[in-house]
Every structure is written in structure tokens, then in C-alpha cells.
Amino acid sequence: MAKSLVGPLTAVLVAVVWYWSIDTRITYGDASQVRSLIEEAFLTSWEDYEAYGWGFDEYKPLTRTHKNMGHQGAPLGWIIVDSLDTMMMMYNSSGSSRLLKGILQAQTWIDNELSYDLDSEVNLFETTIRMLGGLLSAHHWSSQLKVGNEQLFLDKAIDLADRLSLAFLQTESGIPYSSVNLHTGEAVKNHVDGGASSTAEFTTLQLEFKYLSFLTGNETYWQLSEQVYKPLYALNGLMGPQWDGLVPIYTYPDSGQFRGNNIRFGSRGDSFYEYLLKQYLLTHEKLYYDLYRTSIEGMKKHLLGISKPNGLVYIGEKTFGLRSQLDPKMDHLVCFMGGLLAMGATEGLPIHKARKREFWDTTRESDWKLAQDFTYTCYQMYAQIPTSLAPEIVVFNGEEAVDNSNWISKNGDFYVKPADRHNLQRPETVESLMFLYHLTGEKKYRQWGWEIFQGFQQHSLKHRIRGAGKIYTSLRDCIHTPTEPLDNLESFWLAETLKYLHLLFQDDIDLTKIVFNTEAHAFPVLDTRSLRGMGLKTGWSP
């Protein structure tokens, strides 16, 4: 009998400790106090990692186990480098001594322990967005705050980029293989999918490499990362009616031809579209806005759906090409699109100012409305779940959930399959809330973000019954309570989710001066005159 009470008793203890750990008088309107809570959530995860997983790339907070990703246990800095600019951003807001300690400790480790001369295959995309992006953003923040060694971060970024750059030189098309050995420079094909590379992966390197060209004056980084577009567009007729600017999620790197017809804005497709717009926002290259425009019109034409019974707008998938039936499945990953559409419409200006600019037209007004409607949909993916936390994937139109194993949302707009009920503390919805709040000033976006953060506080925050301390962890099932933890710490919880939540509750964020890479690492918008003087410009046309 005693054994059967362990689970319920644990759930009660966790709920009681959570209740007393949160001041119930705090509301979403208390921005400074909410920022403090978000900062504390970051430090809770960071200081637990510091105590029990320091220096390792992967960390399991429940069991306090860890490992590195490099050959023979060498570290890549996966958690430390990815988290560093979040600490800098939060420190800029609060001046916390605990954050300053974390910044300096991370810097010391990067200086003394981190070497990228590793005889290891690494994923080109993940290493670029997390490690190269993290180092470059740390360089930017340290130069602004005068905290940290900005030259150290830049030197490490150059060393890493030089090693990653070799991946672009080993195919006739210029499209890189999926992985590269950081010591030998040998590029390695994807081990599955017929050797095809993920289309989103090789088109989500350009912000980092172009920013590095600007910092160093070395145009090679710019040219290598940009060369992937010409074969992709020219060989496949991407601008034509066969594709309408929408890309299948796999491409053969040797030929540049697409593999299959699977089109989606979720995994392996998402950041292709993101980096078209963000290159324009970072470097003012109009070609990339024009390409983005074509893709967004294609999305509106082929991928938009409306849920029943409440009319939520979603972005579905075309598994077998544009002429196939729309699949109403949507990854949480797609929820970045609310913020992207809003930034594409306003270019970072508050909406009341953007509407007065010469560029404003009915197309941008359409994008703006869709941005708001779609962000509301993504909020509902939390609000209609008992824990207020979204699952990894939902399928819209709940009346189709004929399988009794599928869980139907509270208002019947979507259902969740058993395999998709996990919550990895992903950032995409709070990312869009952050953009929409700063572009509109509407308090509802802070309210929605506060509700989501409270969901993390109640269900992701776990207190050790045996042993001291509390941790945040992913969830195996975010629908049924008490929630079952999934023993892992995703670096994007620290690099993105908590960063975007904190930014949501900051004031005076100027989105015309900063661009976030797909891992939420911040780069300053680059000066057009300086780019021109350095000879850095678009080097191809479709």
C-alpha cells in the first residue's frame, strides 16, 4: 500500500512546494517582478548544471548524468556557449552578481578548456547556429556591456568558422554535406535519407557567416554561405508554379536537386524561410526580401488551413507536393511564423509607425493580420491543454480524432497523438509573443506569456524528494497530471525560451536594430554604407 502512494504523494509535495515558491500576488502587469522570476528560473537551471554537469555538452538533471559530444569525450561547449548571451542580456537588465559570476565562469572555461581542433564529426547546421552564433552574440554583447573578453569570443568564432567553412568546398554544387570533421575538414554525407541534406540546414548558416565577414573583413565566409542558393533556385525552378517558393525538406548536395516533395514549415523546412527574411533585415539585401515574399505568398496559397469548430488559422503540410491534400498536422516549431510574419510586415517598426511608411501596402497588412491570428493559434496550443504547456505536435480539426488513443483539446480544435505529447520547453510561441508585444504594445501578449511561464513553473519545475535542490526538465507527457518528467536539459531552454520570455517583459526593445538568429543569438543590424565599403554584397541572382 505504501508503495502505491509514492506517485500521488510526490505530486502533492511538488504542487505544494510550487505554490509556496510563487508569489500569487504577482501578475503579468508586474514586469520587473516577472523578469526576476524568469531570471531565477534561468539561474536555477544554470546553477544546477554548474554544480553537477559543468563543461559537458549534454546533461540530465534528474539523474545528474552527463556526457560530451566530441570524439573521446571532448566538449563542444553546447550548453555553456549557447547560454552565455542569455546571461549577458539578463545581466544588462538586472545587474545580478550571480549572472556576472556565470558570465565570467563561462568565459574562463571557453578560454582554458574549449578547443575546436577536434577529430569529430559535427552537424554543420547545429554547430553554426548554437556555437558560432553563440560566440558571435557573446562578442556583440561583451562589446556593448564591457563585460567579458570580446576578442576571445571573436577569435574562437573565427577558428570554428574556418573549420566549418571547409564543408562548402567539397561538392560541385557548393551545397555542403550535413556534417564536417573539425580536425580533418572532411565533409560527411547524411547517413540516412539517401545522403540528402536537410534543406533548412544548409540555408540556415548565412546570418552567422555574413556577420563574421562584416566583423573580420573576410568576404570568404559571406561568399561560401551564399553560394548554396543559386543551384537551389536555378536547378529546381523554385520561383515557378511547380513550387511557388516552397521547398521540399531534403536536397541532394552533389546535384542540388530536391529529394521528394514533402513541404512543411516544421522540422527541416522552417528556418529556410526564416533566414530569407532575416538576411534582408540584417544586411538590407533586397533580393532576400523578394524571395521571402514569394515563399510567403506560396504558403498562403497552399498551406493555410482553418480549424473547426473555432476557426483557428494553422499552417499545414503537403507531404506529396503542392497538388496533394493538406495535412492538418503542425509542429510546435512552426509557431516561430507569427513573429516572422510580423517582422516581415513591419521591418521591426511598431505597427503604428510601419503603417505610415511608403512600403506599407495591402500585402503587408495581410501578413500583419495573419501574424496576429497565427500567434493566437499557437497560444491556444497551450491554453487548451490542461497543464498550459503545448505538446510537440498537434493535428487540427478535433472531430477527426476517431482513434480513442488521441487526446482532443478542450475546445475541440485539435487533437494530440500519444507519441506527440512530450513538451521539450520549446521557444517558438514565446518568441512570437515577444515580437508581437513589442510591435503592438498590447498587454495580452504579456498575459499569454505569463500563463505559459506559470505552466513551466507548475509542471516543469521539479523538486528533488531525495536530495536538495530543484530543477527544470522536459516532460514526457504534458497533458495528463501529475506530469512525468523527461530527464534532459535542452540548451535552447536557456538560449531561447527563457531569453524570449525575459525580453517579452523588458521595455524599450528596438527591433529595428537587432536580428536574432534561429537559436535566439542576437546580432546588430549592419550598416549598409559599411557593407558597401567592404565590398560585401549579394553575389547571385535567381
Side-chain angles (χ1 to χ4, degrees):
M1 179 64 71
K3 184 176 181 180
S4 67
L5 290 174
V6 170
L9 179 59
T10 299
V12 170
L13 288 172
V14 168
V16 168
V17 176
W18 170 80
Y19 179 83
W20 288 110
S21 69
I22 298 296
D23 187 340
T24 56
R25 296 170 297 178
I26 296 176
T27 71
Y28 68 89
D30 302 318
S32 64
Q33 296 185 67
V34 174
R35 287 198 304 273
S36 295
L37 289 175
I38 296 167
E39 192 175 296
E40 186 62 34
F42 176 92
L43 286 166
T44 294
S45 288
W46 174 261
E47 290 171 352
D48 178 69
Y49 167 73
E50 176 190 1
Y52 302 108
W54 182 249
F56 288 91
D57 296 325
E58 298 181 16
Y59 175 59
K60 297 181 181 297
L62 282 173
T63 55
R64 294 175 175 173
T65 56
H66 43 66
K67 66 177 182 179
N68 278 323
M69 301 167 70
H71 181 62
Q72 295 182 338
L76 294 172
W78 215 249
I79 293 175
I80 293 175
V81 174
D82 220 10
S83 305
L84 180 54
D85 69 337
T86 302
M87 286 190 284
M88 291 178 167
M89 179 272 295
M90 289 182 174
Y91 176 74
N92 184 47
S93 174
S94 73
S96 162
S97 60
R98 291 163 68 193
L99 288 168
L100 179 59
K101 177 191 172 190
I103 293 167
L104 297 177
Q105 184 180 21
Q107 175 180 288
T108 299
W109 184 87
I110 291 169
D111 192 15
N112 296 331
E113 304 293 334
L114 182 60
S115 170
Y116 285 117
D117 186 15
L118 300 177
D119 189 11
S120 299
E121 294 177 15
V122 300
N123 180 274
L124 177 62
F125 160 72
E126 296 285 2
T127 307
T128 297
I129 65 169
R130 297 176 192 242
M131 301 299 94
L132 183 57
L135 290 167
L136 290 172
S137 186
H139 165 78
H140 166 66
W141 276 104
S142 61
S143 66
Q144 299 296 306
L145 300 177
K146 306 305 179 186
V147 171
N149 186 341
E150 59 185 277
Q151 190 60 46
L152 167 67
F153 302 134
L154 181 57
D155 289 344
K156 287 287 184 182
I158 292 170
D159 176 64
L160 177 58
D162 287 346
R163 298 174 188 279
L164 297 174
S165 294
L166 299 177
F168 294 94
L169 303 176
Q170 298 175 49
T171 63
E172 187 174 338
S173 71
I175 295 173
Y177 294 152
S178 295
S179 301
V180 62
N181 184 298
L182 291 177
H183 177 70
T184 67
E186 180 185 3
V188 182
K189 279 187 180 181
N190 189 1
H191 298 297
V192 295
D193 304 310
S197 295
S198 166
T199 305
E201 291 191 357
F202 66 81
T203 55
T204 310
L205 312 168
Q206 290 68 31
L207 291 185
E208 296 80 4
F209 279 85
K210 287 186 173 184
Y211 181 38
L212 187 57
S213 280
F214 176 81
L215 291 173
T216 62
N218 183 349
E219 63 185 13
T220 301
Y221 303 122
W222 182 298
Q223 294 168 346
L224 288 176
S225 66
E226 189 177 66
Q227 73 186 14
V228 306
Y229 285 111
K230 191 169 184 63
L232 190 69
Y233 276 84
L235 293 176
N236 296 290
L238 189 52
M239 302 290 280
Q242 180 184 0
W243 301 113
D244 281 342
L246 302 176
V247 294
I249 60 175
Y250 292 108
T251 302
Y252 290 111
D254 290 305
S255 67
Q257 297 284 355
F258 292 136
R259 178 181 189 265
N261 300 304
N262 191 340
I263 294 170
R264 66 189 186 211
F265 274 56
S267 61
R268 304 188 183 280
D270 46 6
S271 49
F272 165 81
Y273 308 99
E274 180 183 3
Y275 269 40
L276 291 181
L277 177 65
K278 288 187 174 179
Q279 282 179 88
Y280 169 71
L281 296 175
L282 183 75
T283 62
H284 318 285
E285 298 169 88
K286 188 175 183 299
L287 170 61
Y288 291 102
Y289 181 82
D290 294 339
L291 300 178
Y292 164 80
R293 181 78 267 141
T294 299
S295 294
I296 293 305
E297 293 307 311
M299 179 270 289
K300 290 179 179 179
K301 179 179 178 182
H302 297 285
L303 300 182
L304 286 185
I306 306 293
S307 77
K308 297 177 182 177
N310 294 301
L312 299 181
V313 178
Y314 64 88
I315 300 174
E317 302 181 357
K318 290 289 185 82
T319 308
F320 303 105
L322 293 186
R323 308 299 177 258
S324 64
Q325 184 176 357
L326 183 68
D327 183 346
K329 164 185 172 288
M330 195 175 89
D331 297 357
H332 185 278
L333 290 167
V334 185
C335 286
F336 81 98
M337 279 299 297
L340 194 76
L341 286 162
M343 287 293 290
T346 67
E347 301 190 17
L349 291 166
I351 183 60
H352 68 278
K353 292 183 178 180
R355 283 186 170 130
K356 296 177 182 178
R357 291 295 182 95
E358 290 185 1
F359 62 59
W360 197 262
D361 56 19
T362 56
T363 299
R364 294 199 185 221
E365 188 67 46
S366 170
D367 284 4
W368 176 250
K369 182 179 186 307
L370 180 57
Q372 296 172 92
D373 291 345
F374 186 71
T375 299
Y376 177 72
T377 297
C378 290
Y379 162 66
Q380 288 298 316
M381 288 167 60
Y382 288 78
Q384 294 192 36
I385 301 291
T387 61
S388 297
L389 294 176
E392 184 75 356
I393 299 170
V394 305
V395 183
F396 284 91
N397 298 319
E399 75 275 9
E400 299 175 4
V402 294
D403 186 340
N404 289 334
S405 66
N406 295 332
W407 181 87
I408 302 176
S409 66
K410 182 168 60 178
N411 296 339
D413 288 291
F414 56 84
Y415 62 90
V416 185
K417 297 179 179 180
D420 301 331
R421 295 176 181 177
H422 51 290
N423 175 279
L424 299 180
Q425 303 167 295
R426 288 200 183 274
E428 289 79 18
T429 295
V430 295
E431 172 184 353
S432 288
L433 294 178
M434 186 277 290
F435 282 113
L436 266 294
Y437 173 75
H438 288 294
L439 295 174
T440 65
E442 294 182 15
K443 294 180 180 179
K444 67 182 180 183
Y445 296 112
R446 280 187 169 176
Q447 178 185 349
W448 297 351
W450 172 240
E451 291 173 17
I452 292 169
F453 180 66
Q454 286 182 302
F456 286 130
Q457 292 289 82
Q458 186 172 3
H459 299 288
S460 244
L461 179 61
K462 303 295 182 183
H463 292 253
R464 292 191 177 97
I465 302 303
R466 297 183 182 87
K470 54 186 178 179
I471 58 170
Y472 288 86
T473 187
S474 302
L475 301 176
R476 194 177 303 278
D477 183 336
C478 68
I479 291 172
H480 297 105
T481 55
T483 53
E484 182 183 356
L486 190 61
D487 189 14
N488 74 315
L489 173 69
E490 296 284 356
S491 69
F492 54 68
W493 165 245
L494 300 170
E496 297 187 77
T497 307
L498 291 172
K499 180 187 291 168
Y500 281 131
L501 277 167
H502 199 277
L503 286 166
L504 172 62
F505 287 92
Q506 288 187 29
D507 298 316
D508 304 321
I509 301 295
D510 188 347
L511 295 174
T512 67
K513 296 186 182 305
I514 199 163
V515 176
F516 296 93
N517 86 337
T518 196
E519 190 72 7
H521 296 308
F523 305 152
V525 170
L526 305 181
D527 178 67
T528 304
R529 186 177 302 175
S530 298
L531 289 171
R532 191 181 303 117
M534 299 170 71
L536 298 174
K537 59 183 180 180
T538 311
W540 71 285
S541 59

